[in-house]
Amino acid sequence: MNLPVPFVTVGLLILSNLFMTVAWYGHLKFKTAPLITVVLISWGIAFFEYLLQVPANRFGYGYFSAAQLKTIQEVISLSVFVLFSWLWLGEKLTWNIALGFGFICFGAFLIFHRFGGAAH
């Protein structure tokens, strides 16, 4: 079964960002855990992020430019982080965070939009 490149790329990037967010920020609820312990656990979790991130970029490059791949990754990363910080850390999404995220999404639009028919 051949899945479309965008579907595979975005799917792998979503999964990799789930692992990345847990690796980087999941330990914040465990402030009493020794730092070396959370570092080693985070490295272990990040290993799985790399197992997904690297193939996502490998499969997606050529269909997407490097700038587009990075943009997709960043928008996914911020989307996952907003949900994670709300659900896991109990933080609220404030208007200024939402507005800043909106500006980032506008930047993504600019990267993907073809002005004057210029190819990427």
Side-chain angles (χ1 to χ4, degrees):
M1 171 169 68
N2 287 334
L3 297 172
V5 171
F7 180 81
V8 173
T9 301
V10 170
L12 288 172
L13 288 174
I14 289 170
L15 292 172
S16 75
N17 275 280
L18 290 171
F19 281 104
M20 178 202 67
T21 301
V22 171
W24 286 10
Y25 302 101
H27 62 87
L28 295 178
K29 284 183 85 169
F30 306 102
K31 295 289 282 179
T32 59
L35 185 57
I36 189 66
T37 301
V38 296
V39 167
L40 293 174
I41 290 169
S42 292
W43 278 353
I45 295 168
F47 172 76
F48 295 100
E49 181 228 338
Y50 275 80
L51 285 178
L52 298 164
Q53 178 83 13
V54 171
N57 288 323
R58 176 68 63 98
F59 295 144
Y61 187 66
Y63 185 92
F64 297 110
S65 69
Q68 289 173 326
L69 282 170
K70 183 61 178 171
T71 302
I72 294 167
Q73 188 276 325
E74 290 300 332
V75 170
I76 290 170
S77 178
L78 289 169
S79 300
V80 168
F81 181 77
V82 165
L83 290 172
F84 179 86
S85 65
W86 173 55
L87 296 171
W88 181 251
L89 298 175
E91 295 184 1
K92 295 192 180 344
L93 177 62
T94 60
W95 71 268
N96 55 320
I97 293 171
L99 182 61
F101 186 66
F103 282 130
I104 291 168
C105 289
F106 179 68
F109 165 78
L110 292 176
I111 289 171
F112 279 87
H113 188 75
R114 293 184 178 180
F115 293 98
H120 285 101

